[in-house]
Amino acid sequence: MRLLIVEDERRLALSLARGLRAEGYAVDVAHDGSEGLFLASEEDFDLIILDVMLPGMNGYRVAAALRRDGVQTPILMLTAKDGEYDEAEGLDCGADDYVTKPFSYVVLRARIRALLRRRQRAGAPVIEVGDLRVDPAGQRVRRGEEEVTVTSREFAVLEFLAAHAEEVVSKRRILEHVWDSAYDGDPNVVEVHVSALRRKLDAPFGRRSIETVRGSGYRLTAGA
């Protein structure tokens, strides 16, 4: 899952990002409304954590602009303001949930999980590529009638490839979606996870569904 945090309090933003990355999320951070709107419009995120009081463009305006442009990514709003009218304004602008500062990190995590589950149930159908079935809601993978066990990170890589089946997907796009745009570790981590998926999904079944396109990236096909 890839999350976007739009929060101008840098210490809070970096603390949230660090905690969520430790739990396996890919996290990008923006510190003003205009940057947040640009990233949310141009990149694929599973959830946006959006502060209300932002420089340049406040969170209400960002949420309204995203919904007006057809971006349906769930939005969890953060604000130091309290009161039913502030909450109503946030929800009317397109937010899906609302948390008032100061908040419990445990509660925030629970709200994030609930929004992601809701999105998976509502709009994440099983992806089929040949006899390979990738179930985002259940986080399950099947090859034919046999279920294949993968790690959460392997699943994220596979889901991204499956969502772009028959397309060439670059290593950089996989890194940005499954890890995040700030990832500065070994880029070969993608190759490691692709190799693991081939051992689990291809080799035992005599398939070659995850192709390497030299110099460009990877392509998931129905396989021979």
Side-chain angles (χ1 to χ4, degrees):
M1 293 292 179
R2 187 180 183 191
L3 312 183
L4 172 64
I5 297 173
V6 188
E7 167 62 66
D8 65 323
E9 294 181 38
R10 291 177 180 267
R11 183 182 300 178
L12 173 59
L14 296 178
S15 175
L16 287 176
R18 185 164 51 247
L20 292 169
R21 285 171 183 150
E23 296 184 42
Y25 295 105
V27 183
D28 289 278
V29 178
H31 296 298
D32 65 66
S34 298
E35 181 187 9
L37 177 60
F38 175 78
L39 288 174
S41 301
E42 296 296 319
E43 303 289 342
D44 293 325
F45 293 99
D46 296 289
L47 184 137
I48 300 166
I49 301 171
L50 177 64
D51 187 31
V52 169
M53 303 302 290
L54 292 167
M57 187 177 195
N58 69 37
Y60 297 139
R61 291 176 59 200
V62 172
L66 289 172
R67 296 306 187 233
R68 188 169 56 249
D69 292 342
V71 177
Q72 296 303 312
T73 307
I75 297 173
L76 175 61
M77 297 200 85
L78 304 179
T79 180
K81 302 173 70 175
D82 193 7
E84 60 183 17
Y85 291 105
D86 297 321
E87 181 174 351
E89 184 175 358
L91 296 175
D92 285 343
C93 286
D96 297 274
D97 202 354
Y98 193 99
V99 176
T100 303
K101 298 176 181 177
F103 53 83
S104 161
Y105 180 65
V106 173
V107 171
L108 181 69
R109 285 168 47 206
R111 296 284 185 91
I112 290 171
R113 290 195 298 269
L115 285 175
L116 291 173
R117 284 197 302 270
R118 191 185 309 166
R119 188 188 197 204
Q120 288 173 335
R121 287 195 298 268
V126 173
I127 305 170
E128 297 187 10
V129 184
D131 67 347
L132 180 67
R133 293 170 55 86
V134 181
D135 179 5
Q139 297 275 296
R140 303 174 73 175
V141 180
R142 301 186 72 88
R143 173 68 85 182
E145 297 301 315
E146 187 170 337
E147 185 161 350
V148 180
T149 301
V150 297
T151 68
S152 59
R153 196 74 79 176
E154 289 165 359
F155 184 89
V157 172
L158 177 62
E159 181 186 9
F160 192 64
L161 289 172
H164 299 84
E166 305 297 340
E167 298 177 22
V168 178
V169 180
S170 70
K171 186 186 299 183
R172 172 50 56 188
R173 285 183 67 193
I174 296 172
L175 275 173
E176 290 179 352
H177 186 85
V178 178
W179 282 266
D180 55 63
S181 60
Y183 178 78
D184 61 357
D186 187 352
N188 290 328
V189 68
V190 174
E191 296 174 15
V192 171
H193 285 75
V194 168
S195 293
L197 287 170
R198 284 171 171 155
R199 288 195 301 271
K200 295 178 179 182
L201 297 173
D202 283 354
F205 303 93
R207 304 297 176 85
R208 299 182 64 182
S209 64
I210 305 178
E211 302 175 352
T212 297
V213 180
R214 191 171 299 278
S216 298
Y218 301 97
R219 177 170 50 215
L220 179 67
T221 70

